[in-house]
Amino acid sequence: MTEHEMTLGGPVVRPRRLRTTPALRRLVAETEVRPRQLVLPVFVREGLAEPQPISSMPGVVQHSRDSLKAAATQAAELGLGGVMLFGIPETKDPVGSGAVDPDGILNVAIADVVAEVGDALTVMSDLCLDEFTDHGHCGLVTPDGRVDNDATLAVYAEMGLAHAAAGVHMVGPSGMMDGQVGVVRAALDGAGHQDVSILAYSAKYASAFYGPFREAVDSSLQGDRRTYQQDSANAREGVREALLDVEQGADIVMVKPALAYLDVVRRVRDAVDVPVAAYNISGEYAMVEAAAAQGWIEREPAILETLGSIHRAGADVILTYWASEAARLLR
Ligand code: PBG
C-alpha cells in the first residue's frame, strides 16, 4: 500500500466489497455443486426383510431389496446423477462365487433398480470381490496368502458380464488389480456391451477412513490391502494410475478417499480429459456425523462445505452418502 492510498482513507483494492451481501456473494461464486453431480452409494443385503441401520454411519442403512427400490426412486426424483450399488451376500466363499452368480444379491439388485428407475438415473455397480470372499480380500488368494492379480482379472471379467446382463449402466472396478479396466472393457465389448461404461477406481488408497464401510458390508477382512491399494504418501502415482486407466478405456476416473486426497483430485483433474470422480467415503461421513451429534459442528453447513471442497478441488462427480440430503439442501 502506498502512503497516498492511506491518506485517502485506506486500501484501494478491497476484496471484501464482493462479500457485502448474499446476492453479491452468490453472483461471484466460482463453483457450485449440483444434485446431478452426486451419486448415492447404497448397500443391499441378501435375505433382509427390513432395512437395517449401520451403527457407525448414522442415517445409512443396509437395504432390503424393496427398500433399495424406494431409495433409488427417491434418488431419481431428487435429480441425483446416479446410485452405486454394493451387495452383501448371505454366504461367502474363497472365490466369491456370489459375485458372478446371476441370482447373487448384487446382480438381482441391479435388475431391480434398473426395472424401477430405467434411464432416469445412472445405475452403477461396485465390481469387486471383497464383499463375496470369506477372507475379505478384493481378489483371489494363493495358498501362500498373496492376492493373485491375474487370476482375479478373469473373475472381474465374468463379474462385469453378470452386471451387464442385469442391465447396469456403469461398472465400477474397485479392486486395484493391475489391468482391471482393460480386462473388463474387453469382456464387455466381446459380449456386445459396448454401451456399458466404466467408472474406474483409479487412485484408491489404503485408508484408515474405510472403517465404517467395513461394518456396512460385514467385511471379513483380516489384515490390510496394502499390496494392492496405494500408499497414502504417493500423489504422482495416483496420476499414473489414472492415466493407465484412461489408456485401458476408463470413461470416468476416480480418486478415493476424497478429503485426505484433494491434492490428488486436483492433479488427476489436470492430467486427464475424462470426467473425474471422488468418493467421499464412510469415515469422512462418520466424522462429520459424530461431531455434529455432539453439537461440536453445525451439520448441514459442514456437509455442504465438505462437498464444495471436493468439487472445488476438481471433482466433476462426487459419490457421497449425503447425496439425497444434499440435493434437498441445494434446491
Ligand atoms: C472395496 C471398497 C471399499 C469401499 C468401497 N469399495 C473399501 C475397502 O477397500 O475396504 C469404501 C467405501 C467407503 O468407505 O465409504 N470394494
Side-chain angles (χ1 to χ4, degrees), residues 43 57 86 126 128-131 138 174-175 201 204 209-214 221 225 229 256 279-283 321:
F43 305 106
M57 299 177 73
F86 293 91
D126 184 58
C128 193
L129 287 177
D130 62 315
E131 284 92 38
C138 295
S174 69
Y201 286 61
K204 182 175 179 184
F209 295 101
Y210 297 146
F213 177 90
R214 305 261 165 101
L221 184 70
R225 306 194 197 284
Q229 296 181 346
K256 174 182 179 182
Y279 198 140
N280 175 215
I281 61 159
S282 59
Y321 301 99

Side-chain angles (χ1 to χ4, degrees), residues 94-120:
V95 295
S97 313
V100 297
D101 179 351
D103 296 323
I105 181 63
L106 182 52
N107 297 317
V108 298
I110 290 168
D112 284 347
V113 170
V114 171
E116 194 73 12
V117 300
D119 291 342

Side-chain angles (χ1 to χ4, degrees), residues 38-89:
L38 303 178
V39 173
L40 178 69
V42 284
F43 305 106
V44 56
R45 179 165 177 177
E46 188 169 25
L48 271 193
E50 292 295 325
Q52 195 170 300
I54 300 164
S55 64
S56 54
M57 299 177 73
V60 180
V61 299
Q62 292 180 334
H63 281 289
S64 67
R65 284 178 65 182
D66 282 336
S67 72
L68 173 66
K69 287 193 256 181
T73 303
Q74 190 192 53
E77 285 166 3
L78 287 165
L80 297 189
V83 285
M84 171 63 81
L85 273 59
F86 293 91
I88 305 147

